[in-house]
Amino acid sequence: MNYDIGHLLRRWDYTPGATQVRQVKGRDGLPKLQLRLDLGILQMEVTGRPDGKKPMGHGSWLEFYQKRLKEHQADAGSEAGFELAGEDCERLHHEAIQYYHRAVCLGAIGDHEAVVGDARHNLAILHMLAGLSSFPQAAALRHALGPQVVVLRTRSLAEPAIARKRWAEAARAIEQGIADVKAIRADAEDEGEPPAEVEFLEGWLNELRGKIPLSPRQKLERQLDEAVRREDYEPAAKVRAQLKNLGA
């Protein structure tokens, strides 16, 4: 059997700096994601674990450890006494990296629903590592990967809303993203400057707010502010009456 994939690489040129992703049909009839890299092609499953494995017969290591945790809670009555060992944490760590890479690829092809699903999976892993392990790298992983995962999720919630001109829905998604990143980074040592992810999301939110159509009340409130600023008291009184009627 010839394992040389040179002919595949020649048919798909690599472009430095670009996220080159395509979806193809596998020999098993199922869709696969392919990411073009400098020295090759990375292929992932679209559903389940990106590498297609079923650890301990489960859909993912997260699913396996969540089941173990539930069994422990049923026996002990609480999470007390349940702790992930170093090997467990390494498994979850590696799984989180896999899911993150796939989420980036899914975002590149516009599969927003799948991105949100993978982001939710990763945030659950980070939460489990932070709360149920003494894994030395758990906090560093959460601080480094968590905000990036939140941004991926936020973009996949906000961008479809923006495309449908649901400005308020998009703004709520971005506001939630900002709050989630701040919560993840709350105990970080470098508290001097806001995380880059927060700066990005806040900039995006400010840009979006400039596009959100004003409600009738907001329009009247702006007219009132302008009339008061110009000391036009008669128009201001009329606007106040309109606001009062609007609230009736």
Side-chain angles (χ1 to χ4, degrees):
M1 182 179 292
N2 187 354
Y3 294 103
D4 184 7
I5 63 170
H7 63 291
L8 296 175
L9 301 179
R10 286 191 293 272
R11 292 175 187 171
W12 190 12
D13 290 336
Y14 173 71
T15 303
T19 303
Q20 295 172 259
V21 183
R22 67 186 181 189
Q23 186 167 303
V24 300
K25 186 176 182 180
R27 291 184 178 180
D28 57 3
L30 299 175
K32 315 291 179 185
L33 278 179
Q34 291 185 344
L35 172 65
R36 184 65 164 94
L37 303 172
D38 187 8
L39 297 176
I41 297 173
L42 178 66
Q43 180 167 296
M44 295 165 277
E45 298 292 333
V46 174
T47 59
R49 272 177 59 102
D51 61 7
K53 294 181 179 179
K54 291 188 174 294
M56 308 298 287
H58 292 73
S60 66
W61 280 117
L62 174 65
E63 183 182 311
F64 171 72
Y65 289 114
Q66 285 177 330
K67 182 181 178 182
R68 278 185 50 189
L69 176 59
K70 286 182 180 179
E71 291 171 347
H72 175 85
Q73 289 173 319
D75 292 337
S78 71
E79 293 182 356
F82 182 89
E83 185 170 342
L84 297 170
E87 183 181 19
D88 305 326
C89 297
E90 288 289 354
R91 289 167 173 169
L92 288 168
H93 180 183
H94 292 151
E95 182 166 288
I97 299 301
Q98 281 194 18
Y99 273 77
Y100 175 75
H101 287 315
R102 183 171 67 186
V104 171
C105 292
L106 290 166
I109 64 172
D111 192 341
H112 298 296
E113 184 177 351
V115 171
V116 173
D118 279 0
R120 187 180 298 116
H121 183 99
N122 265 4
L123 291 173
I125 286 180
L126 296 176
H127 177 74
M128 179 172 279
L129 286 176
L132 299 171
S133 79
S134 55
F135 186 48
Q137 291 81 29
L141 176 65
R142 186 168 185 261
H143 292 158
L145 187 60
Q148 297 177 51
V149 172
V150 170
V151 169
L152 285 175
R153 184 198 64 189
T154 301
R155 294 187 67 164
S156 285
L157 290 172
E159 287 177 358
I162 291 172
R164 297 191 297 271
K165 296 185 178 181
R166 296 181 179 177
W167 312 112
E169 179 182 333
R172 286 194 298 272
I174 299 172
E175 288 167 350
Q176 185 61 56
I178 293 170
D180 289 345
V181 172
K182 287 182 176 179
I184 289 171
R185 299 284 299 178
D187 59 344
E189 295 180 358
D190 54 338
E191 296 180 5
E193 296 182 3
E197 293 84 1
V198 168
E199 291 185 339
F200 165 73
L201 291 175
E202 287 181 340
W204 190 17
L205 182 60
N206 289 333
E207 180 183 340
L208 178 63
R209 282 173 173 162
K211 299 178 182 179
I212 299 177
L214 297 177
S215 67
R217 174 172 291 279
Q218 288 172 322
K219 289 179 181 178
L220 288 172
E221 287 172 345
R222 285 199 177 184
Q223 290 176 24
L224 177 59
D225 290 342
E226 183 63 20
V228 171
R229 186 184 65 80
R230 296 195 310 265
E231 298 184 354
D232 291 340
Y233 299 115
E234 184 176 346
K238 291 180 180 179
V239 174
R240 285 195 184 94
Q242 288 178 282
L243 280 168
K244 185 176 180 180
N245 291 333
L246 194 63

